[in-house]
Amino acid sequence: QVQLVESGGGSVRAGGSLRLSCAASGFTYSTYCMAWFRQAPGKEREGVALINSDGSISHVASVKGRFAISKDNAKNTLSLQMNSLKPEDTAMYYCAAALRFACSWSLSAYPYWGQGTQVTVSS
């Protein structure tokens, strides 16, 4: 049974930092594309960062230079280091997994999702 469990969310002031983690189980983690998505109230879910099984990484333009995705295949964990947080980063953050050849920003490419962790950034 596939499980993705996020942690590390919280409330911070603008300019602060948070580190999100996602613990994965029930599938061959190292061979999958892993990604972070977020959804703010009243908005569509959007991609934030992804890392494929070959280590290739992409970050959406709005977080480049501030956020960094990483993964530890030995521990089956995915992380998102978030620095210089802005109020517009406030959202529920989700961890997701897709087959490596389907790695993209498309929501439909990801059959596995976590429950999410809330990030709130105040000004």
Side-chain angles (χ1 to χ4, degrees), residues 2-58:
V2 173
Q3 279 196 315
L4 297 172
V5 180
E6 302 95 335
S7 62
S11 296
V12 296
R13 291 200 172 188
S17 298
L18 283 173
R19 185 176 182 87
L20 305 184
S21 294
C22 173
S25 61
F27 63 105
T28 309
Y29 177 78
S30 62
T31 67
Y32 273 66
C33 169
M34 299 299 298
W36 288 99
F37 288 80
R38 66 186 180 186
Q39 188 166 18
K43 295 189 176 181
E44 294 186 352
R45 193 170 297 190
E46 63 175 2
V48 176
L50 55 84
I51 181 168
N52 210 344
S53 57
D54 62 357
S56 57
I57 288 173
S58 291

Side-chain angles (χ1 to χ4, degrees), residues 6 8-11 18 20 39-41 82 89-94 115-121:
E6 302 95 335
S11 296
L18 283 173
L20 305 184
Q39 188 166 18
M82 306 188 295
D89 295 318
T90 294
M92 184 72 79
Y93 283 71
Y94 298 90
Q115 293 300 306
T117 186
Q118 178 67 39
V119 171
T120 303
V121 185

